[in-house]
């Protein structure tokens, strides 16, 4: 009895001590890992500056740029790339089981949209799309010229041929004057954006909606993504006037979860002027204004 009376207070003390310890451990929780998917004619080495920005702002953040389909291999078919990036991403995520952020540049953003749709229980917290042609591309910039050297009005004649659908650019080439062909012939973007009906739509939408936040970054001086508003799901109508995200059919019909995400308050759009395409990930102002605060 005496023994019990003596030990009760010390047990209470121990319990209190453990609670304080637990609080300390939890409040010093580490930053979530950041996984990067590169763009067209691009490779992980080009993300050293961004990695430095992240680690200066948030010391000890683990940053990984997935090293697949580098440079000219980034022209490979997008479903092939999605498969490759999927296993790289999953094996990364499977190592720790904690959630991570996915930061995707340019064409990488289109691949990430597919990854977040096809991977069940992906555990990605925040999806950041850095100047990505999320609603498609309709502009012959230097990039497109290298591959399809014809005027933009004619690109569809090549891109919408079966053979050319093995080239990544053609799989998000969205000619607003040939919408019927875009929907019929393009084997990637219309599927992931739910612009055509298919059996996976519900499942993909459910998977995509597991993200907690989507951050869309782009701007009018990009010079590559055309229209630049495609970086936040705006796109041309058949008069080549830009229709904003909220008036896009895939938004109003909530085809892949965009409207739900928006009504949850989980879409953040960051527009920055004065940033050419290849500067998005090396410009500290862009990092501070649009990226930093989400990587916690
Ligand atoms: C990761 O884990 C999931 C679920 O356990 C499993 O289905 C998947 O095959 C794993 N992927 C890799 C690349 O390890
Ligand atoms: C960096 O981005 C800011 C906008 O965020 C822009 O005003 C500035 O001109 C950019 N600087 C360079 C060197 O691109």
């Amino acid at each position: 009895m005496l023994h019990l009376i003596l030990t009760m207070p010390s047990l209470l003390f121990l319990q209190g001590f453990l609670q304080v310890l637990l609080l300390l451990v939890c409040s010093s929780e580490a930053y979530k890992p950041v996984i990067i998917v590169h763009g067209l004619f691009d490779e992980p080495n080009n993300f050293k500056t961004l990695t430095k920005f992240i680690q200066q702002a948030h010391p000890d953040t683990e940053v990984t740029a997935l090293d697949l389909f580098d440079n000219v291999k980034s022209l490979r078919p997008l479903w092939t790339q999605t498969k490759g990036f999927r296993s790289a991403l999953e094996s990364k995520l499977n190592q720790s089981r904690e959630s991570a952020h996915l930061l995707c540049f340019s064409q990488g953003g289109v691949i990430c949209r597919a990854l977040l749709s096809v991977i069940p229980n992906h555990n990605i917290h925040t999806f950041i799309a850095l100047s990505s042609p999320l609603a498609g591309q309709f502009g012959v910039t230097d990039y497109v010229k290298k591959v399809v050297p014809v005027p933009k009005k004619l690109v569809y004649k090549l891109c919408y041929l079966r053979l050319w659908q093995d080239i990544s650019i053609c799989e998000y080439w969205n000619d607003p004057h040939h919408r019927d062909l875009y929907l019929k012939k393009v084997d990637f973007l219309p599927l992931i954006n739910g612009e055509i009906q298919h059996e996976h739509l519900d499942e993909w939408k459910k998977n995509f909606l597991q993200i907690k936040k989507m951050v869309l970054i782009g701007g009018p001086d990009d010079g590559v993504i055309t229209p630049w508003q495609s970086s936040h799901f705006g796109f041309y109508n058949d008069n080549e006037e830009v229709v904003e995200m909220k008036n896009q059919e895939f938004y109003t019909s909530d085809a892949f979860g965009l409207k739900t995400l928006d009504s949850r308050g989980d879409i953040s759009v960051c527009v920055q002027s004065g940033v050419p395409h290849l500067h998005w990930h090396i410009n500290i102002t862009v990092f501070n204004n649009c990226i930093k605060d989400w990587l916690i």
Side-chain angles (χ1 to χ4, degrees):
M1 194 59 203
L2 185 67
H3 178 71
L4 253 182
I5 288 166
L6 274 178
T7 52
M8 274 305 280
S10 56
L11 265 176
L12 281 176
F13 174 77
L14 188 69
Q15 197 185 19
F17 178 73
L18 282 175
Q19 266 168 1
V20 169
L21 200 70
L22 206 65
L23 264 176
L24 281 175
V25 169
C26 289
S27 61
S28 66
E29 202 183 340
Y31 297 108
K32 289 184 179 31
V34 179
I35 301 169
I36 298 174
V37 175
H38 67 75
L40 191 64
F41 302 125
D42 199 6
E43 60 168 48
N45 270 332
N46 297 335
F47 293 86
K48 286 191 171 144
T49 306
L50 179 63
T51 302
K52 200 182 71 198
F53 290 165
I54 296 171
Q55 290 172 339
Q56 272 166 0
H58 299 145
D60 299 326
T61 304
E62 183 193 339
V63 183
T64 311
L66 299 179
D67 191 10
L68 282 93
F69 301 103
D70 294 348
N71 305 308
V72 73
K73 293 199 188 95
S74 61
L75 286 170
R76 300 278 316 275
L78 289 176
W79 284 118
T80 306
Q81 296 198 50
T82 300
K83 199 168 164 228
F85 278 112
R86 177 180 179 166
S87 71
L89 179 64
E90 277 191 335
S91 62
K92 188 90 211 130
L93 292 169
N94 284 2
Q95 277 166 21
S96 66
R97 305 228 146 263
E98 62 179 326
S99 67
H101 302 307
L102 193 58
L103 192 159
C104 314
F105 175 56
S106 196
Q107 175 179 285
V110 178
I111 294 172
C112 288
R113 268 277 301 117
L115 291 170
L116 294 169
S117 297
V118 299
I119 305 178
N121 307 314
H122 50 64
N123 216 5
I124 293 298
H125 187 283
T126 296
F127 165 42
I128 301 178
L130 193 54
S131 199
S132 295
L134 297 169
Q137 168 78 13
F138 184 60
V140 177
T141 53
D142 290 346
Y143 284 70
V144 180
K145 246 184 249 157
K146 277 192 212 174
V147 187
V148 197
V150 298
K152 79 171 178 181
K153 298 263 180 215
L154 298 179
V155 172
Y156 82 96
K157 289 193 181 248
L158 296 175
C159 268
Y160 294 174
L161 293 175
R162 178 65 207 92
L163 195 68
W164 285 67
Q165 281 296 305
D166 281 345
I167 299 171
S168 68
I169 294 175
C170 290
E171 297 178 280
Y172 50 89
W173 184 261
N174 188 350
D175 187 327
H177 309 294
H178 297 280
R179 187 153 177 84
D180 49 337
L181 284 178
Y182 163 78
L183 295 177
K184 212 181 288 172
K185 305 288 183 184
V186 178
D187 66 7
F188 195 83
L189 198 63
L191 272 74
I192 62 167
N193 279 353
E195 294 171 282
I196 53 167
Q197 288 298 321
H198 58 85
E199 55 175 339
H200 301 295
L201 272 181
D202 289 344
E203 180 200 338
W204 287 4
K205 183 170 168 178
K206 185 178 130 247
N207 294 341
F208 182 62
L209 283 171
Q210 288 183 344
I211 58 170
K212 305 285 181 282
K213 193 99 210 169
M214 177 167 70
V215 181
L216 306 174
I217 305 169
D221 302 304
D222 181 89
V224 171
I225 303 304
T226 319
W228 65 269
Q229 291 91 340
S230 186
S231 60
H232 46 265
F233 289 105
F235 206 74
Y236 292 133
N237 61 15
D238 58 6
N239 287 321
E240 293 190 36
E241 299 150 347
V242 174
V243 176
E244 64 160 327
M245 174 179 83
K246 283 182 202 274
N247 293 325
Q248 291 290 335
E249 165 80 24
F250 54 62
Y251 180 97
T252 53
S253 67
D254 205 22
F256 64 92
L258 197 56
K259 191 177 179 184
T260 302
L261 206 58
D262 196 25
S263 55
R264 264 172 32 188
D266 290 333
I267 300 181
S268 164
V269 174
C270 196
V271 175
Q272 302 281 291
S273 308
V275 187
H277 193 63
L278 292 180
H279 284 194
W280 287 104
H281 49 75
I282 57 171
N283 181 318
I284 187 74
T285 315
V286 171
F287 178 75
N288 286 329
N289 290 351
C290 306
I291 301 176
K292 187 177 76 182
D293 292 347
W294 301 114
L295 300 183
I296 47 171

